[in-house]
């Protein structure tokens, strides 16, 4: 009986969180629909499940979209910020001053995550970035160049994870 109650509560909370995520995404992405999803695994560790949403389910880097990362392990926010900048650098961006500014912004915004955390990154109509952690706004970056390179970590042609990109963009 106790197991049944725990299971039902888990389903309720999971459904409630999913509904809140959908509301946040729909607030910023008109006619949002799932484009694709993928899981990042590093060696034998599951890191996160990613889902990409775009208007009518068709992604374009020039229109609003949302990328949801449901973490499957505990990670330090500063490590996530550093890894993000490393990924941007590996794609060929070489403006070290911009990357220093972006790292300073990310390290302030991105919290430590656990296996119950979800971070949603949204590219808005102005091509700025809005970030949510567990349905709470954590920061905004108005710089379209940041948005382009940040989301290229997952969606750019030079991503370090091309299989994940293909699954996310539906290719």
């Amino acid at each position: 009986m106790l197991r049944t109650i725990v299971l039902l509560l888990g389903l309720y909370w999971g459904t409630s969180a999913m509904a809140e995520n959908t509301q946040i995404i729909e607030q910023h992405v008109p006619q949002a629909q799932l484009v694709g999803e993928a899981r990042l695994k590093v060696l034998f560790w599951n890191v996160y499940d990613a889902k990409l949403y775009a208007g009518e389910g068709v992604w374009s880097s020039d229109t609003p979209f949302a990328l949801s990362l449901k973490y499957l392990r505990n990670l330090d926010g500063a490590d996530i910020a550093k890894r993000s900048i490393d990924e941007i650098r590996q794609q060929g961006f070489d403006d070290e001053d911009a990357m220093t500014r972006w790292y300073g912004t990310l390290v302030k915004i991105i919290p430590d995550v656990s296996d119950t955390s979800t971070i949603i990154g949204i590219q808005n109509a102005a091509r700025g970035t809005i970030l949510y952690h567990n349905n709470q706004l954590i920061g905004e970056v108005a710089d379209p160049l940041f948005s382009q390179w940040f989301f290229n970590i997952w969606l750019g042609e030079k991503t370090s994870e091309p299989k994940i990109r293909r699954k996310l963009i539906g290719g």
Side-chain angles (χ1 to χ4, degrees), residues 57-122:
V58 179
W59 174 77
S60 168
S61 63
D62 297 328
T63 60
F65 60 84
L67 181 67
S68 173
L69 302 178
K70 165 70 175 88
Y71 284 88
L72 304 171
R73 56 184 302 104
N74 299 341
L75 296 169
D76 183 77
D79 291 342
I80 295 170
K82 181 181 182 319
R83 179 69 184 173
S84 297
I85 296 302
D86 291 345
E87 288 284 334
I88 290 169
R89 185 178 286 113
Q90 288 172 11
Q91 291 182 51
F93 188 75
D94 62 359
D95 184 337
E96 291 297 327
D97 290 337
M99 284 187 285
T100 299
R101 282 192 314 278
W102 295 346
Y103 173 75
T105 299
L106 288 173
V107 80
K108 289 177 189 170
I109 292 175
I110 296 178
D112 297 343
V113 297
S114 69
D115 62 358
T116 62
S117 296
T118 299
I119 292 182
I120 299 173
I122 294 170

Side-chain angles (χ1 to χ4, degrees), residues 29-42:
V29 182
Q31 301 174 340
Q33 294 179 12
L34 181 66
V35 177
E37 56 190 310
R39 173 170 282 179
L40 176 65
K41 289 180 78 166
V42 176

